[in-house]
Amino acid sequence: MTTPTPIIFAHRGASGYCPENTMAAFRRALELGATGIETDVQRTADGQLVLIHDESLKRTTGNDELVKDVAYEEIVKLDAGNWYGSVAAYAGESIPLLEDLLELTKDTDTIINLELKNGVIPYEGMEQQVIDAVRKHGMSDRIVISSFNHYSLALCNRLAPDIRTGVLYMEGLYEPWKYAAAIGADALHAYHYAVLPEWVAEAREHGVHYHPFTVNDEAGMKRMLACEVSGIITDYPDRLLNLIEEKGAL
Ligand code: G3P
Ligand code: MG
């Protein structure tokens, strides 16, 4: 039996080449052959879902405030591309709405991994908001919701059992496929050092997939491909695509 081709998840878009979590990074991911996109969801003061990794706006825009304290009409004016090296081409990129990414990808086959950044700030009600946005775009079968906040994932599974979820974790959980099943999750979004081939095989027997993060070097990618994971999250989707194509040619 041949193993299905792993999903190439572009981490924060093609963030190895473009400022993370911008429309430029998402478009570039598609151009480079990504079959999936991972992104981070936070919420503005006026309740808009936006794509930015940090709770604070500081690192990627220079504004020293929290996302949760600023209304979207102010956030959208911030430059989220200027910080990225000296590449002037990205100046003027703004922080996207979740809706912008769903619009970009709704007529493609791309799998979208929405990481809810609700481990630090709980953003009460965010789960239902995300599910509503996904349903509005008819994308329920192409979404994987993940979070380090596993209570939030369990809630997502109760609210929308048809939308896949992935458990994010850093360390060597014991038999994590059992844990995933306990909260109704479909996938393990494990830090890549917490992945061994025998665990991937056993998880698969239980119907649970591994989507390790964040794997950027070729050696790490080869190790994950040898483990036969179902997807890999990387800043360099083209690098991973090349390895998958080489492997297919063997
Ligand atoms: O979803 C995988 C990965 O993005 C989790 O860590 O900090 O890059 O969001 P982080
Ligand atoms: Mg993330």
Side-chain angles (χ1 to χ4, degrees), residues 13-245:
S15 60
Y17 302 106
C18 300
E20 65 188 56
N21 285 326
T22 60
M23 293 309 287
F26 301 140
R27 280 192 292 266
R28 188 70 178 276
L30 300 179
E31 287 162 13
L32 292 175
T35 51
I37 290 175
E38 187 268 1
T39 186
D40 307 293
V41 186
Q42 308 254 6
R43 194 169 67 190
T44 66
D46 55 336
Q48 300 291 314
L49 298 173
V50 287
L51 306 180
I52 175 170
H53 178 273
D54 302 357
E55 285 72 31
S56 165
L57 294 159
K58 179 81 176 168
R59 179 175 61 87
T60 55
T61 74
N63 182 311
D64 202 2
E65 291 177 281
L66 299 178
V67 177
K68 76 169 183 61
D69 293 331
V70 185
Y72 178 67
E73 66 174 345
E74 295 305 318
I75 283 186
V76 76
K77 292 179 195 158
L78 301 173
D79 192 317
N82 206 23
W83 68 279
Y84 189 75
S86 57
V87 188
Y90 298 121
E93 284 291 327
S94 58
I95 295 174
L97 289 163
L98 169 60
E99 295 261 340
D100 297 333
L101 176 61
L102 297 180
E103 277 297 318
L104 176 72
T105 53
K106 76 172 183 212
D107 296 324
T108 68
D109 295 328
T110 318
I111 308 291
I112 307 298
N113 173 201
L114 301 175
E115 182 189 347
L116 308 192
K117 282 293 186 196
N118 53 2
V120 178
I121 296 164
Y123 296 123
E124 197 181 328
M126 172 191 246
E127 295 87 353
Q128 187 65 59
Q129 267 186 284
V130 169
I131 290 163
D132 288 346
V134 167
R135 292 217 193 286
K136 185 176 145 196
H137 288 81
M139 293 174 69
S140 305
D141 58 343
R142 284 199 286 123
I143 300 289
V144 183
I145 298 176
S146 64
S147 181
F148 285 101
N149 178 343
H150 302 170
Y151 284 90
S152 176
L153 291 182
L155 176 57
C156 287
N157 287 320
R158 287 198 298 278
L159 293 172
D162 56 316
I163 297 179
R164 285 173 282 176
T165 54
V167 182
L168 270 165
Y169 63 99
M170 294 298 295
E171 308 294 348
L173 288 183
Y174 182 68
E175 298 186 337
W177 46 91
K178 291 186 180 171
Y179 180 69
I183 60 173
D186 309 87
L188 295 164
H189 289 214
Y191 186 45
H192 61 99
Y193 289 114
V195 180
L196 288 181
E198 55 269 33
W199 299 344
V200 176
E202 187 149 2
R204 189 179 294 111
E205 278 176 28
H206 289 78
V208 175
H209 299 271
Y210 269 87
H211 300 153
F213 70 92
T214 299
V215 190
N216 286 337
D217 65 300
E218 284 199 2
M221 288 175 180
K222 283 181 177 166
R223 194 175 81 78
M224 291 300 102
L225 292 174
C227 286
E228 301 193 339
V229 297
S230 300
I232 297 174
I233 300 171
T234 177
D235 298 342
Y236 299 94
D238 52 336
R239 214 174 268 179
L240 178 56
L241 177 62
N242 286 340
L243 288 178
I244 290 172
E245 286 179 348

